[in-house]
Amino acid sequence: DAALSNYFRPGNLTALRELALLWVADRVDEYLKEYRNEHRVSRIWGSRERIVVGLTGGPEGRTLIRRAARLAEKGAGGEVLAVYISRSDGLTAASPKELTVQRTLVEDLGGTFHHVIGDDVPSALLAFARGVNATQIVLGVSRRKAWQYVFGPGVSATVARESGPDLDVHLVTHDEMGKGRGLPGAHGGRLERTRVVRGWLVGILGPVLLTLLLDLAAPEVGLANDMLLFLTLTVGAALLGGLWPALASAVFGSLLLNWFFTPPLHHFSIADPKNIVAIVIFVGVAVAVASVVDLAARRTHQAARLRAESEILSFLAGSVLRGETSLDALLDRVRETFAMESVALLEREDEVAPWTCAGSVGPAPVCRPEDAEVDMPVGDDMALALSGRVLPAEDRRVLAAFAAQAAVVLDRQRLQEEAGQAHALAEGNRIRTALLAAVSHDLRTPLAGIKAAVSSLRSDDVAWSEEDVAELLAAIEEGADRLDNLVGNLLDMSRLQTGTVQPLIRAIDLEEVVPMALSGLPDPEASVLLDIPQRLPMVSVDKGLLERAVANVVENAVKYSPATTRVLVAASAMADRVEIRVVDRGPGVPDEAKDRIFEPFQRYGDAPRGAGVGLGLAVARGFTEAIGGILTAEDTPGGGLTMVLSLRCVPGRAAPDA
């Protein structure tokens, strides 16, 4: 009644239902993921709503994350995965500070953040979405201005076109659309292919068009002005395409100047020495400008590359600080970051021993470092093996950091396992020590009484009366019963510790069990008040285990109750369960000790020596849980302790109406 009125309210029941649905969805999703990996299924199977948010590092990312979170809420337990794709050459326009803010936001909303490297952003985004079995992609409307669409359709349009029928793409409007992307944060030394092509066009076609224009429209401009115009084209080629287009433009421009504008015309010869000096200066200035631009591009590339690496390493360090120490999670992050098919952490005992897999993610992981496209050694006997594609040399430095962290995580997991084993050994030693203490005292006490009584009976020096003999025999019987009870509890605890308890569950009436459980007490009628209604439903239990559990609980209650007060053993039905309540009026147990009294070899308070080894309640709880019941302790109103033993009713036979 107290639980119905205080806990099982509509709000709590609704929350429990939602938790159960989420748990079932997670289990189904795990099985589906294993099946897809085993059978190498690449198509998307929408078992649940999984929404991927494509981030660029711009301020519009916060709007996209919140929109995706709302879509996930409508999808009854949907999952949000925010992904930021950076280029392998370090080109990025993202703000690290903004990415950090967005990562915190998506994690606060219950999602996950992922950092992936890919040169083709639409392809990398679609590959990530299909790899995680996503059902929807949320992207922002492009920030490019209208004239910038002449260079291509953009990421959003490309993803929408290539997503296929199994992926829904949402384009979300925001305040930043149409305002332009601004200048990128870094330019690599390995320039984009489109920029290099533009540089060659400016460096080769530009001088040709300029020559035609000057020869036909302005033949009298003068050689000095002609050189400045050609030098402008060379600088433009250097800014766009780098060193080689600029050098080609300088050489080709000098030849055109010599042929068309330097007397004698239409000959590769120069009559005036001043013109020779001018052309040499022109070529030197062009080469110098091209070299400076190329050097600046290389330095900028190095800075951008280091910036990209620092972002990845900061994410790795953040995962460590947040306690993400799972080896599988770390290997999965490696697979996502470097766009690999599978990742495995391999180890061996020595140089001649075979490799073994300590952990892996992805389908068909390799078993040897030699079989992988990329292997990163960690010491002499451990290696991180990646399959899928060959990584460039500059990526190996970041991969080395992941490999070192994977080795640390593996060592930490093993240390935790060893600590758990050490804890189990320590617990076993504690139980053995307590057992020895119990054997040395609690078992020896009834043995000493039995021996003394037997020795007295066998003595010829004393003539015992019939009353004395009866008293000595009663002492022997009482000591034997105590020994039997103690040894029985020890054997029961050993069965529970080794997991050899095999209950035989069948339908039982409580009237068949509870009176039998009280028969072991010295005077059950004087010490126990029994209240078992006749209309109680039958329960699904093991009769022998339930009898031992009830007997131990009642014996404990009688031991701590006042001699003038009887222990109440009452039963009642509630929903699909039956509760047996053992109520005593003893000193009671504080809340912080209620769980501790069910541990083996624990006796609360000032229990006298010889009162038992502290196994009764531990055995009772073990047997109760073995038959599918629950044993808890509550305070008795007015003082004392109430043990509540909750059992399952027989299916289809509910409790009668109150």
Side-chain angles (χ1 to χ4, degrees), residues 97-155:
K97 182 178 180 181
E98 182 63 29
L99 280 178
T100 302
V101 172
Q102 293 176 13
R103 175 173 188 149
T104 303
L105 176 61
V106 71
E107 291 177 350
D108 290 342
L109 294 175
T112 56
F113 185 91
H114 304 267
H115 188 179
V116 177
I117 294 179
D119 292 329
D120 188 353
V121 175
S123 299
L125 182 60
L126 289 172
F128 176 83
R130 293 190 173 97
V132 299
N133 200 30
T135 57
Q136 302 180 53
I137 298 179
V138 175
L139 298 173
V141 176
S142 179
R143 287 182 289 161
R144 296 190 300 174
K145 296 182 181 297
W147 62 269
Q148 292 178 312
Y149 282 95
V150 300
F151 300 112
V155 174

Side-chain angles (χ1 to χ4, degrees), residues 449-462 464 472:
I450 294 173
K451 181 175 178 58
V454 171
S455 299
S456 299
L457 289 174
R458 296 186 62 185
S459 175
D460 297 332
D461 299 335
V462 180
W464 303 102
L472 290 173

Side-chain angles (χ1 to χ4, degrees), residues 220-465:
E220 302 297 334
V221 172
L223 182 59
N225 293 327
D226 294 338
M227 289 184 177
L228 290 176
L229 292 174
F230 275 93
L231 182 60
T232 302
L233 291 176
T234 302
V235 173
L239 292 175
L240 289 175
L243 179 62
W244 295 110
L247 293 179
S249 177
V251 174
F252 188 50
S254 63
L255 293 176
L256 292 178
L257 283 172
N258 190 0
W259 182 268
F260 288 100
F261 303 105
T262 304
L265 301 178
H266 307 298
H267 291 84
F268 287 110
S269 61
I270 302 175
D272 190 349
K274 295 180 180 180
N275 294 334
I276 297 177
V277 175
I279 291 179
V280 170
I281 293 175
F282 165 76
V283 175
V285 171
V287 171
V289 170
S291 301
V292 170
V293 171
D294 183 70
L295 180 61
R298 291 180 182 274
R299 294 291 183 265
T300 307
H301 166 68
Q302 294 175 0
R305 182 69 193 179
L306 292 175
R307 176 181 177 182
E309 292 179 1
S310 65
E311 290 178 0
I312 296 175
L313 293 177
S314 66
F315 292 149
L316 178 61
S319 64
V320 174
L321 293 176
R322 287 190 301 273
E324 299 175 2
T325 57
S326 172
L327 181 60
D328 291 340
L330 181 62
L331 295 181
D332 196 53
R333 179 60 58 89
V334 174
R335 185 173 66 89
E336 292 177 358
T337 300
F338 297 99
M340 290 293 179
E341 293 181 0
S342 64
V343 179
L345 183 63
L346 307 177
E347 62 176 350
R348 59 183 178 181
E349 295 181 357
D350 50 52
E351 295 183 358
V352 298
W355 291 95
T356 59
C357 183
S360 64
V361 294
V366 298
C367 299
R368 299 186 306 168
E370 302 85 46
D371 300 333
E373 277 79 9
V374 181
D375 70 286
M376 176 58 63
V378 186
D380 297 330
D381 302 322
M382 188 175 293
L384 191 65
L386 293 80
S387 301
R389 67 185 182 96
V390 179
L391 284 181
E394 54 266 25
D395 286 343
R396 295 183 66 86
R397 178 166 54 182
V398 179
L399 182 60
F402 276 105
Q405 181 62 26
V408 171
V409 170
L410 180 61
D411 291 340
R412 186 179 303 167
Q413 287 185 354
R414 289 178 174 172
L415 288 175
Q416 291 176 349
E417 293 176 358
E418 293 178 0
Q421 295 175 358
H423 178 73
L425 291 175
E427 184 66 18
N429 289 332
R430 186 185 69 82
I431 293 178
R432 281 192 291 271
T433 302
L435 178 59
L436 290 175
V439 170
S440 64
H441 187 280
D442 294 288
L443 293 182
R444 290 180 62 183
T445 300
L447 279 176
I450 294 173
K451 181 175 178 58
V454 171
S455 299
S456 299
L457 289 174
R458 296 186 62 185
S459 175
D460 297 332
D461 299 335
V462 180
W464 303 102
S465 64

